[in-house]
């Protein structure tokens, strides 16, 4: 079980010491920015994955570009969660932490990222630092950690590394990888290989010293550390690929057959377009960085209108700016895919941190009635496929499809089955054949929701698209009946599409005391928490929604089988613990609102805006507390 | 006619497009509205160039001027106030076969659309942009526009407009990559037509400011120009517009201006005492965005499969796990 | 009762003919644009009001600036509803229609604006028009009207008028006023006075011919019409003022003490700033027309931040563009009043027509959690007072207050009691006194919701406002606890404010079969419809919400006392009559969503997007049908 | 010191502000970031002018540069990306007592903020605007900005930027009502300070483009300028900046340029071969928006009562009902 250790007699691969057998372990490596903790984390994550573990890694990114050294907010690094069962989220508190200085380390402690009492390996050079303030700061932290019963090991990294390289500061990270190889009992050859691939091409003279550092770390651990862990591999049967959610989005765009991506940089969405900018030209695609989000969205709409289906990628503040154009895309029935990689809000908020706070804005943000489809990937794999699906829906129903990803998916990395490429994914080519007489540009089959789009270049299809109220020919018309009909027709597309949706699956029993409903990136954490409490016999299940508007049928029936229903979300809700809050003024989490309004079931919510992925352990505690 | 088979003649005749072939719904601008003249000149261009109606797209924003596409029988995109230019860019970016025209009001272009106007000039895509400048917000009924003259009474400036009119020409001529700037008045059809024609043949983004009468709200805005031909400075050049004899007789204030001379163009544009008419600036050698951004790869499905497989190989678990991070780090920042 | 006539023996003031005594009557005058039907309507409305009737007038505005003559869509004119009881809305079908040509007339008929079989006075000159097409069109319409049993009177207006003026086309409107004076038995002297005031100053030579035309109309009606109506005055006790909703908003801005209005023109909001532009300088105020809505909102925020509380006025598409700044105002706790005069949507939609489609966008439109206050005036009088209230709330709670007016209020005119001016309305002057030590710029009393704002110029108050997550000092802080606290504090303002709200009043009994809940401009129509069906014993009541976010306590208790609850709104909702619609996909009207989500009561809705005020008669029919 | 009472001296000393009095939080820009120099120069200005910190407002957008207000101890408004200028206008419009400064990045000002930049120049309110131009999007980590040079590799243009860099100076100089344009580099503190100082004393909107090093992302962007003083064309004039002796010895490529000469300013701004440094243009006689829009009436409550009573009289039922319509018709339009 997660985080639980079982004593075993097995010997680890590398040493004569007793290794504790684990189902999973969470490691964090933090350093000042530029000291290479991220590289170390990525490399060790790769090695764990290649040697058969399921791995989830997340970057720890400082708030500044080049933050000052030795500051809690300036820490840079990596979290690695590795296990012998499918890992779907970043997990709870770290169980082994490596700090390059005590300040970077304390940042994580203040954010409660570490499990109390966990193992800490801390660079010891600061103890004797010439600056007495630094030395004092270090020993202060050491005292605290000891007082709070952390298993602290002071490691003379600088000293050890300087035996091999001149600038020990730049070599510590490989020393750290070496230590980890020893602690987790992995074949050192794997790490040597990684170092070789990393440096061979560009900086071949760095291979040797880095391998020396690696081996030194390994040896140091062998000599000085009294613990070893073994995390058995889990059986992967199919080929896997590893990516973060933004890379998956970019690959999904390529796979969906889209040709144009128009964007304006915004964190945490931009990296999707970075990667796309690299690969898109190879398939004739183009990433347009517009002067602002409004222009980006208009550009995408223009391109889509001309038959080159387009995507626009943004985050909350950018979506806010696109609001008016979103309504145009719905009103004028132009297919458009919009990816919103959600971050902390409101306003500029927490640019690098996760939140699921844009759901209601995505659905209701546009003045007037602009029915659009809103969906949310729950995993990194979903990020890939949801784009393909979104493009298809957008073109089929000639409407706007919003894909709500978030910073958690964007920056997390995970392995998933290598997609089996299918030609079906792609977009049909631009139809340039003449339009048959008698067809109207905005006709629409009320049962299937299908319609033929007229695209510039098609003889006989000429019409003027407009955001004004219009009839089926696209002609401006202000008559009451026509506007009613137009709104109705656009709304019924959602109904027609809704009929095609499958009810969500229930994870756990079909009935019980508590149902947790989630959406988006929280899926892994929710399901893990539910699995944990179910082992203790609690009658809890969960279900996860991919389509938020429209919602599949059958959800009400699922909910009705539980005594209590609640959502778990990363967004703001009032709590009854606040004195001022009562049932007349409580503001609910996004999904809870939607479920309450549609199903009239008293759906509660548990949510926060801490700007971090919700941990399975926190959900678990909440459930236990609730069902006590 | 010898040797020409009857069939060919017939076919030719059948395909020949007349003005009516470009006429959409009946225009509903006010009687005497200058937009009508701009419409006629544009339809004439389409006819003279025999543009296939299905290959033309007229993109507009919102305003009186922006009703333009409805009165053409081509494809039309009557979009959002201020957003005509980025929409038109999107239409054109991967459809070089389409002739894309943009019609905007002065508010549409120079107020809410300012950022797009500046940046579209900069990207220099092959588009013809006509700015119908009536010095007023027409459709919303008489509010000041950036080009409203100082002191003009409008509904939002009942005591008179506070600022001197903005000069769209000097701004446009200050933008890097500017490649075609013309100024004409809609009441001189010959010059109007010629400017649109040269814009159409220009290799890049052609910006035409058209002074346009709005008899409903600003009947006197251009009366000075109408009554006194000397107030118009006709720019003449073999590379620019050359006036007909009749016009030359009426409009005698002329200047030989080489459209290649940007410094002189800026000086002319800046003049407060007289209104320069003609091609102020043209440069056929500025790279076009749709061309410089064009990929050498085809958008075939096979190519997509290749690229996907390449990526999957690279990110494959048996291959290089760490490379999944290359260039993909979710940025910091706000 | 509305529209019902009672035969009376009383003689009308002016003639020997028998007058029908009415409680109310609805008159429409339509002409080509430029023919003066609007002037005639306004003048006659004034006269009716001055002679003691309660009057509601609405302009009939063509879609084009100068529409072509003789077209149904080009009609310009006025609707006057006058009665001897308080008139709160534009009413049902017109009962007396005057048309200057048959096309303008038919426009209204196609829009169902006239009561079937009503009286129609139609200019007859077209019968013998030299253009045979015109003559044929005319006689075609005459035939239809006769066939459908309208009480058609053909009036030789042109012919009669040309006896007095050269350009009869420009004089007809006074002839029409004359006819109406006779029909409704008003003292001709009242009309003479209006004409004199109108022309005396600017065009004194027009006084005489217009009076001649007036008298000719009167005389013609006396000779040729066989009907007369009498609408007794209703007893007004206090002084009244007449205005449309946009004028009321502008006056409210003056009364609220605000100093800056930043806007970008957009129908139907702009006319508020037109009027404000005229009067604002007289109180040192200033209307800034910005380059776009974004700049307008930023300008208003800047001004408010500097201590000069500001308002920004817009309509749906403009609000869409302000979305990002709305969140800033909430996040940075800058007071801001935003007036959205709603029009038909989505997108450019129906710019001149009414809709209540922006409620959910106002509440939920901003990505991330941006709690703001949303209120809606229900009457023209409310338009005035709501601005005063909004400014007060905005400054007290340092937040955004959105006032949702609509095109119905904006263009309707009504008399209301002359406001008794109170110094309490005004804003306090900018506080420039030094900030006491130890105070934080974003401190807030959790019980009262009150806080001291630091305004540039105040010594000791210097801080940097930011839209990033921040602590109470305004310092950027990304810690999970701080962001949670900030969101919480901003949300609790709503809760604190909510505690001050009074439950809405119930119109009708406190319990029954059906409760209709409304908001905004539909109040008059809903209450009138409810009153009508209650007279027939139906157990129907209504309640009307002024605050939509937060909502007052007590609403649930009100709703629970009724067998059925529904909203009546002018916005889109799916109907179960559509085959595709079921409880899993039905999209509800805006307010219905909110009530369902909060109170878990199965609130139904009846709404449309016809772009017109909902008529009391239509609501009445719906109720009768529903309770059958 | 004779005759000066002790009390006075004390008070004077007490009130004298030092650089520290303008220092806010410790700056967190990267080591070597040019923003630091701009901060120092600005703090020096505040100190030299002895500006009361509570009377200064620093308004910014979003970006590295836009963190500026946090590092001052004055009032600060760190608003939204691109929206610094209209916010600053709003701050200033009815608060003539405040000194309002605006700090923007090149993306902030010339990309998302374009419309506001153009229109703020036009309104010519008394504001000092500093555009920190590092040719890149810093905070979001290395995307092309409008001023990124052609071919520069960034995260959104891995094959190199598609377009020639936009020249913010020629654009600004083309805007009607432009009244102060300067260009400086942050690594020459003397010129930087002098430009900010003159901007501060300018009677209207002062726009300063400051070339700013971003060692993190564009370490080489200005290395040519740094290594070769000849690449900077120092504009000298008695009405402009006058170089110190030391500077004159180092920077020998100079031109006597009268800031009153807009045509020459445009030509200079347009030069691709050399970077003009100094005051390009200044005109102290352009009306300022906050002045021309100022009402002669006071905003007293009594005055409001008068106006309301006047309106209520006018719209009173016993008075003129029809006049309720005057100027109040809800417009048509879109
Ligand atoms: C976002 C948005 N803001 C405002 C409007 C209202 N609006 C419609 S047209 C227009 C301006 C019209 O002026 P101009 O562009 O000069 O065109 P003209 O009518 O004079 O031809 C405005 C402000 C709108 N439709 N959308
Ligand atoms: C509406 C919106 N779009 C995008 C962003 C993301 N963003 C933050 S700063 C920035 C650009 C930074 O570049 P620049 O203005 O040149 O400032 P620098 O960091 O280089 O000083 C962007 C795109 C945002 N915060 N808000
Ligand atoms: S209002 Fe002016 S611009 Fe608009 S249609 Fe009429 S004349 Fe033309
Ligand atoms: S990224 Fe560049 S601009 Fe930003 S702080 Fe670092 S050096 Fe300065
Ligand atoms: Mg205009
Ligand atoms: Mg920059």
């Amino acid at each position: 079980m997660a985080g639980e250790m079982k004593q075993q007699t097995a010997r680890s691969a590398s040493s004569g010491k007793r290794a504790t057998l684990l189902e999973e372990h969470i490691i964090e490596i933090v350093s000042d920015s530029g000291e290479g903790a991220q590289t170390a984390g990525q490399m060790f994550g790769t090695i764990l994955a290649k040697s058969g573990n399921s791995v989830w890694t997340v970057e720890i990114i400082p708030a500044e570009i080049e933050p000052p050294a030795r500051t809690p907010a300036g820490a840079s690094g990596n979290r690695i969660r590795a296990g012998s069962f499918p890992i779907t989220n970043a997990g709870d508190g770290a169980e082994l932490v490596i700090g390059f200085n005590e300040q970077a380390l304390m940042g994580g402690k203040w954010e409660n990222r570490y499990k109390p009492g966990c193992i800490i390996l801390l660079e010891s050079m600061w103890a004797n630092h010439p600056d007495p303030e630094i030395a004092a700061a270090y020993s202060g932290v050491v005292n605290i950690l000891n007082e709070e019963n952390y298993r602290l090991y002071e490691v003379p990294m600088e000293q050890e590394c300087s035996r091999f390289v001149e600038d020990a500061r730049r070599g510590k990270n490989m020393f750290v990888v070496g230590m980890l190889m020893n602690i987790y009992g992995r074949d050192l050859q794997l790490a040597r290989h990684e170092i070789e691939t990393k440096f061979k091409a560009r900086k071949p003279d760095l291979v040797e010293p880095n391998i020396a550092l690696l081996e030194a770390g390994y040896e140091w651990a062998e000599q000085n550390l009294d613990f070893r862990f073994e995390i058995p591999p889990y059986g992967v049967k199919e080929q896997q690929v590893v990516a973060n959610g933004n890379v998956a989005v970019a690959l999904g765009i390529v796979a969906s057959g889209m040709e144009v991506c128009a964007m304006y940089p915004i964190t945490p969405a931009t990296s999707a377009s970075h990667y796309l900018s690299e690969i898109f030209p190879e398939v004739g695609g183009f990433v347009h960085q517009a002067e602002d989000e409004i222009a980006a969205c208009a550009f995408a709409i223009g391109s889509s209108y001309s038959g080159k289906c387009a995507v626009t990628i943004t985050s909350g503040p950018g979506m806010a700016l696109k609001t008016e154009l979103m309504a145009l895309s719905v009103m004028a029935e132009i297919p458009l895919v919009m990816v919103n990689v959600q971050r902390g809000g409101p306003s500029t908020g927490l640019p690098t941190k996760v939140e699921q706070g844009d759901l209601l804005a995505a659905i209701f943000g546009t003045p007037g009635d602009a029915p659009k489809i809103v969906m949310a990937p729950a995993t990194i794999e979903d990020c890939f496929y949801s784009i393909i699906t979104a493009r298809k829906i957008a073109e089929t129903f000639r409407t706007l499809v919003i894909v709500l990803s978030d910073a958690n998916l964007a920056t997390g990395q995970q392995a998933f089955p290598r997609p089996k490429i299918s030609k079906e994914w792609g977009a049909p080519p631009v139809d340039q054949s003449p339009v048959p007489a008698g067809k109207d540009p905005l006709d629409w089959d009320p049962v299937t929701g299908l319609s033929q789009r007229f695209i510039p270049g098609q003889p006989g299809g000429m019409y003027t698209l407009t955001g004004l109220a219009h009839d089926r020919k696209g002609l401006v018309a202000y008559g009451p009946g026509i506007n009613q009909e137009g709104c109705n027709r656009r709304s019924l597309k959602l109904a027609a599409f809704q009929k095609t949706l499958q009810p969500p699956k229930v994870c756990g029993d079909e009935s019980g005391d508590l149902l947790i409903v989630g959406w988006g990136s929280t899926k892994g954490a929710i399901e893990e928490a539910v699995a944990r409490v179910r082992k203790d016999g609690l009658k809890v299940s969960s279900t996860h929604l991919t389509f938020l508007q429209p919602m599949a049928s059958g959800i009400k029936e699922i909910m009705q089988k539980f005594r209590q229903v609640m959502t778990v979300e990363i967004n703001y809700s009032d709590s009854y613990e606040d004195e001022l809050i009562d049932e007349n003024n409580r503001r609910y989490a996004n999904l809870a609102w939607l479920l309450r309004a549609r199903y009239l079931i008293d759906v509660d919510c548990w949510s926060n805006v801490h700007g971090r992925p919700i941990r399975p352990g926190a959900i678990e505690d909440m459930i236990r507390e609730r069902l006590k | 006619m010898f040797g020409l088979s009857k069939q060919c003649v017939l076919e030719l005749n059948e395909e020949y497009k007349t003005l009516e072939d470009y006429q959409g719904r009946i225009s509903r601008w006010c009687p005497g509205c200058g937009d009508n003249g701009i419409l006629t000149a544009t339809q004439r261009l389409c006819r003279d160039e025999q543009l296939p109606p299905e290959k033309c797209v007229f993109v507009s924003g919102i305003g009186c001027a922006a009703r333009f596409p409805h009165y053409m029988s081509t494809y039309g995109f009557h979009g959002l106030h201020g957003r005509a230019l980025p929409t038109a860019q999107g239409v054109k970016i991967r459809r070089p076969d389409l002739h894309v025209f943009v019609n905007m009001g002065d508010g549409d272009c120079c107020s809410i659309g300012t950022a797009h106007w500046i940046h579209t000039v900069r990207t220099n895509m092959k588009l013809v942009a006509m700015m119908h400048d009536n010095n007023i917000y027409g459709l919303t009924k008489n509010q000041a526009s950036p080009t409203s003259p100082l002191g003009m009474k409008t509904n939002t400036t009942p005591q008179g407009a506070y600022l001197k009119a903005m000069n769209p020409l000097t701004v446009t001529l200050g933008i890097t990559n500017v490649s075609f700037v013309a100024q004409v008045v809609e009441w001189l059809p010959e010059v109007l037509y010629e400017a649109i024609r040269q814009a159409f043949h220009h290799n890049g983004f052609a910006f035409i400011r058209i002074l346009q009468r709005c008899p409903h709200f600003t009947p006197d805005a251009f009366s000075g120009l109408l009554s006194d031909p000397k107030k118009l400075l006709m720019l003449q050049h073999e590379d620019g517009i050359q006036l007909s004899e009749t016009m030359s007789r009426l409009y005698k204030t002329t200047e030989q201006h080489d459209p290649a001379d940007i410094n002189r163009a800026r000086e002319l544009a800046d003049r407060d005492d007289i209104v320069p008419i003609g091609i102020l600036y043209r440069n056929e050698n500025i790279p076009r965005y749709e061309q410089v951004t064009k990929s050498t790869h085809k958008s075939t499905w096979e190519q997509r499969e290749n690229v996907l497989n390449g990526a999957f190989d690279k990110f494959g678990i048996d291959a290089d796990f760490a490379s999944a991070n290359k260039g993909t780090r979710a940025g910091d920042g706000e």
Side-chain angles (χ1 to χ4, degrees), chain B residues 61-63 67 78 81 110-112 114-115 117-119 122-123 139-141 145-148 155 162-168 170-171 173-177 262-263 266-267 270 287 289 292-293 329-334:
Chain B
I62 297 284
R67 289 297 178 105
H78 178 213
H81 189 40
C110 303
S111 196
I112 192 170
T114 308
W117 157 40
I118 307 295
H119 286 275
R122 186 175 176 241
T123 51
L139 191 63
T140 43
K141 297 193 172 166
S145 107
T147 59
S148 295
N155 277 333
Y162 298 110
L163 298 170
K164 189 175 162 187
M166 167 190 255
N167 185 334
T170 53
V171 177
L173 286 165
I175 306 167
T176 311
N177 289 349
I262 193 156
N263 286 334
R266 287 176 181 159
E267 282 173 28
D270 215 9
Y289 192 64
V292 295
T293 62
R329 187 166 304 158
D332 177 31
E334 292 149 24

Side-chain angles (χ1 to χ4, degrees), chain A residues 46 50 59 63 240 242 247 254 258 267 281-282 288 291 303 306 351-352 411 413 418 432 456-458 463 465-466, chain B residues 54 69 75-76 78 90 95 116 289 295 301 303-304 309 313 315 317 319 321-322 325 328-334:
Chain A
T46 307
K50 285 193 179 176
E59 287 158 16
Q240 303 258 318
V242 169
V247 168
V254 170
M258 287 194 278
T267 307
E282 291 174 43
H288 173 64
E291 59 270 25
S303 165
S306 82
T352 58
T411 58
Q413 289 200 60
R418 180 179 173 130
Q432 295 273 18
Q458 281 183 279
Y463 77 105
L465 170 155
T466 179
Chain B
E54 70 272 15
Y75 280 91
H78 178 213
R95 291 295 305 271
H116 314 312
Y289 192 64
S295 165
W301 181 252
Q303 186 59 17
R304 287 184 191 257
N309 273 320
D313 289 348
F315 300 147
I317 199 81
F321 182 92
N325 294 293
T328 67
R329 187 166 304 158
D332 177 31
E334 292 149 24

